[in-house]
């Protein structure tokens, strides 16, 4: 990833596993004009330029950051209620990361590049075959 960027971190509400997010986005993408997944939020990131300079959206599942998606662009969208919101348009590829504990919070938060979890090698990025807490413990001691 590029230097000088910032990331976002967000709870993946309604999903218990990374596969839940992948499946949900696959179902919704067909209905979108460009076929790209997006997360719509009330607030426009104040650090948009840094986010668009190589940043990702990191997803939290059951108290653990487990995956990320590169942010491609930010689109202005108007809901049926007439309110303008920010659509964070994402790369469809969901990249698994080392498990990092994260306390619950609302909305999204900034995550500095040097604090972001590392991507898992493709060979170990398969289905969530271990509980998130065990994955985090293994990552902490450098095993996974």
């Amino acid at each position: 990833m590029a230097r000088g960027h910032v990331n976002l971190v967000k709870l993946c509400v309604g999903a218990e596993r990374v596969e839940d997010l992948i499946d949900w986005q696959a179902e919704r993408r067909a209905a979108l004009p460009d076929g790209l997944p997006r997360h719509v939020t009330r607030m426009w990131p104040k650090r948009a330029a840094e986010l668009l300079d190589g940043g990702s959206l990191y997803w939290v599942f059951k108290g653990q950051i487990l995956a990320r998606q590169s942010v491609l662009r930010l689109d202005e969208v108007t809901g049926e209620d007439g309110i303008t919101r920010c659509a964070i348009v994402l790369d469809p590829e969901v990249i698994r990361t080392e498990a990092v504990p994260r306390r619950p919070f609302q909305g999204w938060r900034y995550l500095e590049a040097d604090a972001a979890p590392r991507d898992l090698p493709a060979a170990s990025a398969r289905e969530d075959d271990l509980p998130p807490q065990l994955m985090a413990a293994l990552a902490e001691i450098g095993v996974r």
Side-chain angles (χ1 to χ4, degrees):
M1 287 195 284
R3 291 191 181 271
H5 72 274
V6 69
N7 304 294
L8 298 177
V9 62
K10 167 104 181 76
L11 299 181
C12 197
V13 179
E16 293 195 11
R17 305 170 311 128
V18 176
E19 282 67 32
D20 296 336
L21 172 67
I22 293 169
D23 293 345
W24 183 80
Q25 285 184 350
E27 289 174 18
R28 301 218 3 125
R29 281 201 328 254
L32 299 169
D34 59 7
L36 294 172
R38 62 203 68 222
H39 172 71
V40 178
T41 182
R42 262 186 326 124
M43 304 299 293
W44 195 277
K46 289 180 172 60
R47 298 174 69 182
E50 292 172 88
L51 180 61
L52 296 172
D53 188 25
S56 292
L57 177 59
Y58 283 79
W59 292 105
V60 178
F61 300 84
K62 297 176 82 174
Q64 303 281 328
I65 296 175
L66 295 177
R68 72 174 180 88
Q69 289 177 277
S70 296
V71 175
L72 300 179
R73 67 178 192 266
L74 303 174
D75 289 352
E76 189 174 285
V77 294
T78 304
E80 293 178 12
D81 56 7
I83 297 174
T84 301
R85 293 179 172 86
C86 176
I88 303 168
V89 181
L90 303 166
D91 187 306
E93 181 183 14
V94 176
I95 300 166
R96 293 172 190 276
T97 66
E98 292 178 328
V100 174
R102 194 67 182 215
R103 291 179 182 231
F105 57 93
Q106 290 190 353
W108 48 262
R109 299 286 184 267
Y110 288 108
L111 178 66
E112 299 298 330
D114 59 358
R118 293 182 299 197
D119 295 349
L120 287 179
S124 54
R126 290 194 19 86
E127 160 70 53
D128 304 319
D129 47 3
L130 297 175
Q133 292 78 9
L134 181 55
M135 287 174 48
L138 292 173
E140 197 171 297
I141 62 172
V143 175
R144 187 171 169 124

